[in-house]
Amino acid sequence: MPSNENRPESDLLDPSQIEKVAVAVTKALDPYGAFASLLTAQMAWMMHPQEYLRAVSGLSGDLLALQGHIARRSLGITSEDVIEPNEDDTRFSEPVWNEASWDILKELYLAFTRRWQDMYYETPGLSDKERRRAAFWSRNWLNMMAPTNFFWLNPVAMRRALDTRGESIFRGLRNFSRDFKAKNILMVDPDAFVVGKDLGTTPGKVVFRNRLLEVIHYAPTTEKVRATPLVIITPWINKFYVLDMVPKKSMLKYLVDQGFSVFVTSWKNPTPDMASVRFDDYLTDGVGEVVRMVTEFCKVPKVNLVGYCIGGTLVATYMAWANRHFAPSEMPVNSWTLFTTLTDFARPGDIEVFVDETTVGAMEANMAKKGYLDGNEMASSFRMLRSNSLIWNYWVHSYLLGEDLPPFDVLYWNMDSTRMPYAMHSYYLREMYLKNNLIKRDKLRIAGELIDLNQITQPLYAVTAEDDHIAPWKECYRIRKFINVKAPMRFVLSTSGHILGIVNPPTNPPKRAYWIADPERNEHWEHWFERAEKRQGTWWDNWVEWLGERSGEMVDAYPAANRKFPALADAPGTYVLEK
């Protein structure tokens, strides 16, 4: 017999090997930690039986109340619903859900859902972040299990099938086959719009191009324009034409018509060979080059700079960098504007469930293989933040009701996703989200300069959105704490969300409203909100007035292109068309 001495020191029963296998399996089957977070919460409740019994007793109370409600309904006695859907929950809006038998199913589901969610938010022995993580994944599971998502539990779908003599079922199967081929639950027909023909149609010229971006200068529509040009740094998570939808929704057209010379970035959709592109490169070859190029184009010393979402985070970083890099007299930015932008990432909202050491590590491993993060993967994560409206709504309407996809321009833009370079995105996730280093003085060194937001003294106009689930407005507000006390600041809170709070054109009658006030250095958001003025309509008009005061005199309109910066292509350019 072979001696034990000849056996390898580690074998398959070695605990360390078992742990390694367990970690590998977990990464493969649960890369975002969904199952692990739910299991952790369940174990926490098991260790606190008294709290668990109190929580269960709440559900028992709801069930008893529902029994009384059911008894009264069965006897024909009027009875108010015990559990009402939230105002923004449209799943049960059809009148059939108020009929006795379906009302019972609806209220049982809602009662269980609310108590279950409350339990996860109140899980004893866990940190607030772990509670929110468990509640997020449980909410997504509960949304998936809603009776509206199953044909035989959805009276609207069954009635539609009867009314159409089964046609809705066949159309639903056809829609399912379409989405199966697309490997996605589509929200809009991929051929519903053509960029450059239906969307992104404001006339202009591409006047600059490098490996990262194209710069589009829009043709003037007025004889005179403001002397100081407006430079908009769009997010590279999606494509720029969200600001140039159909003409009546186009912020770019609106600004041009108001007498501004508007330059906009259109970012290249990264390919595998761009895996090593860094955040530093987006600052120097991106916003830095654009600012330089526009000052040369218009022969002016300064621009007014705008940043949207991650483009705003880059603009905030650039502003801190530029205030260190340039002498005060040579600073090339006169004022800056942020749209729904995080600089403090301590509480980034529901998206935090996708940003911890485990999930970032899983994303990095995925990006290392491809050289980028695929846009569809990122889009899927964002859709999970609002799964009822962005996933299951389309499941029901496409598959169970057999309806055609609506030709909605914002949804088309949302599905027109882009990729993120490996090095840049890894840095962004780790330094901003995980370590929250942007708000820490001199913690980051980017393009040779230490980053300190307190160096920024230029006037700031910050716009946020009330229902923003990507950049929560209360976190966006915190930039007032970190920029220099001498920097004048105006803060705006618009109704609606991350996109429609910004793409918010003037309408008659007004569709939306906004709160506006200039916050003090250490003023809490609650105090700001109490004294802020609520106005009906869009904040665009106020922003244009604010910009006008900081844009110099009226001068002859700059041509769309000139001899030094000739037209390379017509707007919307070539990078925006890359898939």
Side-chain angles (χ1 to χ4, degrees), residues 70-359:
I70 293 167
R72 289 189 293 273
R73 290 292 300 266
S74 64
L75 295 173
I77 301 173
T78 302
S79 178
E80 293 186 3
D81 288 348
V82 176
I83 308 292
E84 291 278 0
N86 292 329
E87 290 183 3
D88 60 351
D89 187 351
T90 61
R91 292 174 295 176
F92 304 100
S93 59
E94 291 291 333
V96 67
W97 285 106
N98 294 321
E99 296 176 7
S101 56
W102 298 111
D103 176 64
I104 294 168
L105 177 62
K106 174 189 72 176
E107 294 201 51
L108 282 171
Y109 169 76
L110 292 175
F112 181 79
T113 296
R114 293 192 184 172
R115 290 296 178 180
W116 190 264
Q117 277 285 278
D118 289 345
M119 284 182 66
Y120 276 106
Y121 278 118
E122 298 166 3
T123 304
L126 296 184
S127 67
D128 287 343
K129 184 173 182 178
E130 283 303 314
R131 290 174 182 172
R132 292 193 299 269
R133 179 185 298 276
F136 172 84
W137 290 115
S138 71
R139 181 168 66 251
N140 272 275
W141 181 81
L142 291 166
N143 289 345
M144 180 179 67
M145 299 305 296
T148 49
N149 297 336
F150 299 90
F151 181 84
W152 295 111
L153 297 178
N154 188 326
V156 180
M158 289 189 286
R159 185 170 295 175
R160 177 71 60 85
L162 289 173
D163 291 344
T164 62
R165 298 182 179 181
E167 178 65 22
S168 64
I169 296 176
F170 288 108
R171 295 174 67 179
L173 290 172
R174 182 195 64 192
N175 292 341
F176 180 82
S177 176
R178 174 203 64 205
D179 291 359
F180 183 80
K181 292 176 182 177
K183 300 180 181 179
N184 200 354
I185 299 177
L186 297 180
M187 298 190 291
V188 66
D189 189 329
D191 299 322
F193 300 94
V194 176
V195 178
K197 179 182 178 182
D198 306 307
L199 307 174
T201 60
T202 301
K205 302 292 183 182
V206 174
V207 293
F208 180 82
R209 181 187 293 131
N210 65 17
R211 62 174 181 149
L212 290 183
L213 53 75
E214 291 179 333
V215 177
I216 302 169
H217 181 214
Y218 288 94
T221 58
T222 56
E223 291 185 2
K224 300 284 186 179
V225 297
R226 295 286 180 178
T228 304
L230 189 64
V231 176
I232 302 179
I233 308 299
T234 56
W236 54 95
I237 289 178
N238 290 98
K239 296 184 178 180
F240 84 92
Y241 64 88
V242 67
L243 300 180
D244 190 27
M245 293 292 192
V246 295
K248 66 179 181 180
K249 294 182 182 179
S250 173
M251 174 186 284
L252 304 182
K253 183 180 185 303
Y254 174 83
L255 291 168
V256 171
D257 290 344
Q258 298 300 313
F260 290 93
S261 188
V262 180
F263 295 79
V264 172
T265 60
S266 175
W267 298 92
K268 183 174 179 60
N269 201 356
T271 48
D273 61 314
M274 296 176 65
S276 60
V277 172
R278 303 167 302 156
F279 193 83
D280 298 50
D281 299 318
Y282 273 77
L283 188 143
T284 55
D285 297 345
V287 60
E289 272 292 275
V290 177
V291 170
R292 178 200 62 78
M293 171 257 150
V294 173
T295 57
E296 292 183 13
F297 185 103
C298 298
K299 299 179 181 179
V300 293
K302 296 179 185 291
V303 303
N304 289 320
L305 192 57
V306 183
Y308 188 179
C309 188
I310 188 175
T313 303
L314 180 64
V315 163
T317 307
Y318 172 82
M319 291 296 293
W321 178 88
N323 274 284
R324 274 251 168 91
H325 189 75
F326 297 104
S329 60
E330 297 175 352
M331 174 64 181
V333 178
N334 185 53
S335 74
W336 56 309
T337 298
L338 296 179
F339 297 157
T340 57
T341 294
L342 286 173
T343 49
D344 184 346
F345 292 80
R347 295 287 296 272
D350 284 345
I351 200 172
E352 71 178 347
V353 302
F354 299 110
V355 188
D356 64 6
E357 190 64 42
T358 300
T359 55

Side-chain angles (χ1 to χ4, degrees), residues 2-14:
S3 169
N4 287 338
E5 295 178 359
N6 295 327
R7 292 184 180 181
E9 292 184 3
S10 64
D11 55 39
L12 292 177
L13 297 180
D14 189 317

